[in-house]
Amino acid sequence: MDLTVRYFAGARAAAGRTEETASAGRSLDELVGELAERHGPGLAAVLEVASFLVDGVRCHDRGTPLPAGVTIDVLPPFAGG
């Protein structure tokens, strides 16, 4: 089963796409590592400073396995106010 990863702002530019699917069942830290490997150092740098929402809720435990069907939003820091 899969989950959906959606990229916003600088994360979208670094990944070269607005969203993609990935396998569920692993932690957010593991998923972030896979995404960094898949898309290279540009996205890896963004992922280091990004916030992550799991089905609209900020993820505080990056070691908990992500269930199938969830949506992960990758939100880089935004400039301005």
Side-chain angles (χ1 to χ4, degrees), residues 2 12 49 56 60 69:
D2 290 335
R12 179 184 297 152
V49 297
H60 295 287

Side-chain angles (χ1 to χ4, degrees), residues 39-67:
H39 297 289
L43 183 60
V46 173
L47 294 172
E48 287 183 28
V49 297
S51 296
F52 300 91
L53 302 180
V54 179
D55 281 345
V57 178
R58 182 156 183 180
C59 181
H60 295 287
D61 183 359
R62 295 174 57 127
T64 299
L66 298 166

Side-chain angles (χ1 to χ4, degrees), residues 6 16 25 37 46 66-67 71:
R6 298 189 306 184
E37 284 183 26
V46 173
L66 298 166
T71 298

Side-chain angles (χ1 to χ4, degrees), residues 3-4 6-7 11 22 31 35 37 42-43 45 53 55 66 74-75 77:
L3 54 82
T4 301
R6 298 189 306 184
Y7 299 104
L31 175 63
L35 296 173
E37 284 183 26
L43 183 60
L53 302 180
D55 281 345
L66 298 166
V74 180
L75 306 170

